[in-house]
Amino acid sequence: TVTKVKGFGRQKGSVNGETREKISFVPKIKVDVVVREWDVQAVMDIIGEAARTGNVSDGKIFVSDASESMRIRTGERGLEAI
């Protein structure tokens, strides 16, 4: 899932070193991906390589445990739902 979001990191909304008197939210893209546990490192590496520009605001990857899932339409649970 890809979502347009707004936020700021350590630079508190400044862009290219330009300081601002108030915090400004910066447009960002959020990507949510659910993968099997054994694929996490490989997917992190692929996303990191594809997204890395070397500039401030390249982003971060967070890993959360999706301990359960259910496909609403069919009621399937667990890996079958993914």
Side-chain angles (χ1 to χ4, degrees):
T1 303
V2 178
T3 310
K4 291 181 181 181
V5 297
K6 293 182 180 181
F8 61 89
R10 290 183 182 164
Q11 62 277 30
K12 297 189 175 35
S14 66
V15 179
N16 298 325
E18 173 190 326
T19 56
R20 300 177 183 197
E21 291 185 17
K22 65 179 188 173
I23 294 174
S24 298
F25 290 104
V26 178
K28 297 176 179 280
I29 299 294
K30 178 181 176 185
V31 179
D32 294 303
V33 181
V34 177
V35 299
R36 294 179 177 166
E37 186 175 0
W38 51 85
D39 290 330
V40 169
Q41 291 302 316
V43 171
M44 287 177 65
D45 291 343
I46 291 166
I47 293 171
E49 289 173 22
R52 183 176 301 114
T53 67
N55 297 318
V56 172
S57 295
D58 271 355
K60 294 176 180 67
I61 297 174
F62 298 98
V63 177
S64 301
D65 182 26
S67 60
E68 187 56 71
S69 62
M70 182 179 87
R71 179 175 287 132
I72 295 171
R73 180 177 54 84
T74 63
E76 293 170 294
R77 293 180 178 262
L79 290 176
E80 292 76 32
I82 298 173

